[in-house]
Amino acid sequence: MSPSHKLPKDFIWGFATAAFQIEGSANVDGRGKSIWDDFAKLPGKTLDGGNGDVATDSYRLWKEDIALLASYGVRSYRFSISWSRVIPLGGRNDPVNQAGIDFYSKFVDELLAHGIQPFVTLYHWDLPQGLQDRYGGWLNKDEIVKDFTNYAKICFEALGDRVEHWLTINEPWCCAILGHGRGVFAPGRSSDRSRNPEGDSSTEPWIVAHHIILAHAHAVKLYRDEYKSTQKGQIGITLNGDWALPYDNTPENIAAAQHALDFAIGEYPFSYALASLDPVYLGFYPPYMREVLGDRMPDFTEEEWSVVKGSSDFYGMNTYTTNLCRAGGEDEFQGNVDYTFTRPDGSQLGAQAHCAWLQDYPDGFRQLLNYIWKRYKMPIYVTENGFAVKGENDMPVEEAVKDYDRIHYFQGTTKALLDAINVDDVDIRSYFPWSLLDNFEWADGYTTRFGITYVDYETQKRYPKESARFLVKWFTEHEDSETAARLDKLKRKTTNASSSTTIANGSVSSKADTKLPCGHEEGSPATQQRWGIRATFMKFIAAILAFIR
Ligand code: PNW
């Protein structure tokens, strides 16, 4: 393989999760409630009535999860911290829960002991319920900005000596639009009284997005002022946004695709949120945003602008699909643009996922990477990308682990990633498939599975899917050799030094082998052979290390 077909030096890859989706143990060790705890239990809020009380039980099974990550050989793990584990009531004058801090601290230590770099999200939608009750959460600018910054400070203090990558907030669009516009996510506010008792969909989403950006920017300022010089990390926000293609070549539909991007990725609430990327880096607001929102579009004061401006070290990208865009429609949240996956000739854009909003279209991923790079000229960290196989939840595990549609999706996205890097010269620094585990998929409950590892929710057993094997092999083959050598060395050093390591407890071979229950060994002979060679190699390395020790 020629060097031009490799990933760049120091490229980061691993899998991603979020606290509320996996941790469970809702009442354990002093954790306070988050806005998702009670919301998920209200009738009709999740498809199957599922909630976060147990999830994948990862608060209890954290060591097993890290061992699983180590068996995959990932270089990094993206996870989020539960704010209400650290500060049960959430506020700057509320008590701090040492048990919560200790949990994440030992978690980070264990990752590092396995040579896995923590990539930490501070906020993945689980606002402490205490702050929602006290002052309306994200709707109250003065309070939430101070409380979020205080929470961030506690995290930097406790973990920043070991964490080199921070994400302030995951997908402001979802908090703003799904939480305060459509009312389908916590805290469940909208103008639709058949759905939500309170809220105003015409103003609140834009206010919330505005405050999220400010809170993010203040946390970044704090990090840069007080921690960056010693802790030397990178910090930024991560936005969801999907590629937009015109439905056909008519001028109105070409414009519609741009409008969709303006509302989704472009400026507001995402990038407007994010140092308002267009105004900050290009020097103007997108006129279309103002045209649609008029005086409902909040603005920053001069002083706020000075904090917001340039407040991200990178562009954090969560992306899943591509939409065909047609002018028209009343949906302000997507820029008054109609989305479809059906082309004018009746064909589909790609394979349909389990959730209605997702089809497989890898070229859109490559185009989006190019669009963001050209527009903002900032390094891109892909922090989420993934696929939920249609009907997977209804399959027996033996069938579910043969997730060929997911493999097809990742074959496409990994090729798009490599081409964007090597052919298009886009500066991409990370890739995190979503998700390490099947988990609590918000309003879908447990009916939609995004994991590259199958979770049996009855037994909490984990079963690597074929897609995990595909991705691990792909990244192992495409990692730049210098980087691989450096990271492997780090892994050996740290695992040797730790008493609770895979190598020290002699289980590396079985983990590298990822012995699968349920006859999953039946995968294609080629896969089995590849995995067998890898396992033999790992056993060999383990034996040498054991000998040296
Ligand atoms: C992201 N949409 O959410 C989140 O960051 C994850 O927590 C989540 O599990 C994952 O994607 C898969 O859904 C999204 O409706 C939720 O377009 C909904 C949408 C997009 C992203």
Side-chain angles (χ1 to χ4, degrees):
M1 191 178 303
S2 84
S4 66
H5 291 119
K6 293 267 185 176
L7 292 162
K9 197 167 163 293
D10 298 332
F11 191 85
I12 298 169
W13 71 277
F15 300 119
T17 60
F20 191 81
Q21 294 179 272
I22 64 163
E23 284 185 357
S25 297
N27 301 317
V28 174
D29 293 343
R31 177 187 180 275
K33 271 186 188 171
S34 84
I35 53 173
W36 270 93
D37 285 73
D38 287 349
F39 178 80
K41 290 176 188 161
L42 294 172
K45 297 303 181 198
T46 60
L47 265 182
D48 54 357
N51 61 56
D53 283 357
V54 179
T56 61
D57 211 8
S58 290
Y59 184 77
R60 277 193 333 107
L61 300 177
W62 64 280
K63 278 204 175 183
E64 283 84 342
D65 284 350
I66 293 177
L68 177 68
L69 283 162
S71 78
Y72 286 148
V74 301
R75 303 307 191 181
S76 184
Y77 177 47
R78 179 186 169 217
F79 64 97
S80 83
I81 295 178
S82 155
W83 185 342
S84 61
R85 267 192 210 289
V86 174
I87 312 172
L89 291 172
R92 58 198 179 282
N93 298 315
D94 294 321
V96 171
N97 180 28
Q98 192 57 43
I101 294 178
D102 291 348
F103 172 73
Y104 292 109
S105 188
K106 70 185 181 193
F107 192 87
V108 164
D109 281 344
E110 182 81 0
L111 283 174
L112 290 170
H114 287 80
I116 301 169
Q117 304 295 315
F119 203 111
V120 181
T121 314
L122 290 173
Y123 184 75
H124 201 122
W125 310 349
D126 45 356
L127 186 80
Q129 182 69 46
L131 303 185
Q132 190 68 37
D133 295 344
R134 195 178 293 162
Y135 55 70
W138 288 108
L139 286 164
N140 186 321
K141 177 165 89 176
D142 292 340
E143 294 293 334
I144 196 72
V145 169
K146 289 191 187 115
D147 283 344
F148 181 72
T149 310
N150 170 70
Y151 160 59
K153 184 180 172 69
I154 289 170
C155 295
F156 299 149
E157 288 277 342
L159 309 173
D161 56 337
R162 289 155 289 158
V163 172
E164 288 177 15
H165 292 90
W166 293 99
L167 294 169
T168 51
I169 290 173
N170 181 72
E171 301 188 353
W173 185 89
C174 290
C175 312
I177 308 289
L178 301 181
H180 297 78
R182 302 202 200 286
V184 293
F185 278 13
R189 296 179 63 87
S190 78
S191 298
D192 181 351
R193 288 290 160 267
S194 67
R195 190 196 293 276
N196 308 116
E198 286 176 27
D200 179 349
S201 306
S202 70
T203 55
E204 288 187 6
W206 318 112
I207 294 168
V208 163
H210 191 72
H211 297 169
I212 287 179
I213 294 157
L214 261 185
H216 144 80
H218 276 273
V220 170
K221 180 174 166 26
L222 172 78
Y223 185 76
R224 287 176 177 166
D225 289 351
E226 292 184 29
Y227 300 96
K228 194 168 170 124
S229 62
T230 49
Q231 298 186 349
K232 309 219 182 311
Q234 300 288 311
I235 187 163
I237 194 168
T238 196
L239 314 179
N240 56 309
D242 294 324
W243 185 237
L245 280 177
Y247 176 70
D248 56 22
N249 283 331
T250 58
E252 64 271 24
N253 289 340
I254 291 172
Q258 184 58 47
H259 291 160
L261 287 173
D262 280 354
F263 264 70
I265 298 151
E267 304 52 33
Y268 187 93
F270 304 139
S271 314
Y272 177 56
L274 194 190
S276 199
L277 280 182
D278 270 16
V280 168
Y281 294 100
L282 307 181
F284 56 84
Y285 272 110
Y288 185 68
M289 299 293 302
R290 283 219 179 278
E291 192 185 312
V292 175
L293 296 178
D295 59 9
R296 288 179 292 137
M297 186 166 160
D299 204 351
F300 296 117
T301 63
E302 277 303 306
E303 200 190 336
E304 288 170 347
W305 267 118
S306 69
V307 183
V308 165
K309 198 170 170 179
S311 61
S312 199
D313 294 339
F314 51 80
Y315 187 98
M317 178 191 285
N318 289 356
T319 190
Y320 287 84
T321 194
T322 293
N323 293 298
L324 291 170
C325 298
R326 257 184 313 216
E330 307 261 284
D331 193 340
E332 180 168 282
F333 301 140
Q334 49 195 51
N336 292 340
V337 171
D338 259 349
Y339 288 173
T340 178
F341 289 130
T342 308
R343 296 192 185 88
D345 67 4
S347 64
Q348 293 296 293
L349 198 62
Q352 179 62 49
H354 192 74
C355 31
W357 55 269
L358 207 181
Q359 283 200 356
D360 176 359
Y361 187 70
D363 192 50
F365 180 43
R366 181 170 172 184
Q367 300 216 34
L368 180 64
L369 289 163
N370 275 275
Y371 176 85
I372 296 293
W373 173 239
K374 287 199 187 94
R375 200 168 177 97
Y376 303 122
K377 287 280 172 217
M378 300 173 85
I380 300 170
Y381 285 80
V382 180
T383 45
E384 274 182 37
N385 183 235
F387 190 80
V389 175
K390 199 169 171 52
E392 198 174 281
N393 194 42
D394 298 323
M395 298 173 191
V397 58
E398 298 85 340
E399 199 185 323
V401 292
K402 293 174 186 159
D403 54 341
Y404 301 125
D405 276 1
R406 187 176 284 104
I407 291 180
H408 186 265
Y409 178 92
F410 284 127
Q411 276 169 338
T413 53
T414 48
K415 181 171 184 326
L417 178 80
L418 208 58
D419 286 347
I421 292 170
N422 290 316
V423 182
D424 310 333
D425 268 336
V426 180
D427 182 357
I428 306 169
R429 310 261 173 107
S430 77
Y431 184 74
F432 288 92
W434 181 270
S435 173
L436 170 68
L437 302 167
D438 290 334
N439 56 44
F440 175 73
E441 180 51 27
W442 309 111
D444 285 7
Y446 295 93
T447 59
T448 300
R449 292 174 177 265
F450 270 95
I452 53 92
T453 311
Y454 183 92
V455 176
D456 177 335
Y457 296 117
E458 296 295 314
T459 61
Q460 292 298 346
K461 271 197 179 153
R462 277 80 161 127
Y463 302 84
K465 299 181 191 174
E466 288 289 343
S467 58
R469 299 171 183 224
F470 167 78
L471 285 163
V472 166
K473 178 171 181 289
W474 192 91
F475 278 99
T476 311
E477 284 175 0
H478 289 84
E479 210 165 40
D480 142 82
S481 45
E482 222 177 278
T483 307
R486 180 178 63 77
L487 293 175
D488 284 343
K489 213 162 126 196
L490 185 77
K491 184 154 66 180
R492 280 176 222 153
K493 224 163 61 192
T494 48
T495 43
N496 270 335
S498 163
S499 58
S500 60
T501 59
T502 48
I503 290 174
N505 67 21
S507 54
V508 129
S509 57
S510 66
K511 280 174 191 154
D513 207 5
T514 357
K515 273 267 172 257
L516 304 180
C518 300
H520 180 53
E521 301 80 359
E522 284 166 21
S524 76
T527 314
Q528 276 182 44
Q529 194 191 6
R530 282 198 300 270
W531 212 250
I533 291 169
R534 191 182 140 84
T536 311
F537 177 70
M538 294 300 283
K539 278 180 193 155
F540 178 65
I541 295 287
I544 291 178
L545 285 170
F547 179 68
I548 294 170
R549 292 178 74 243

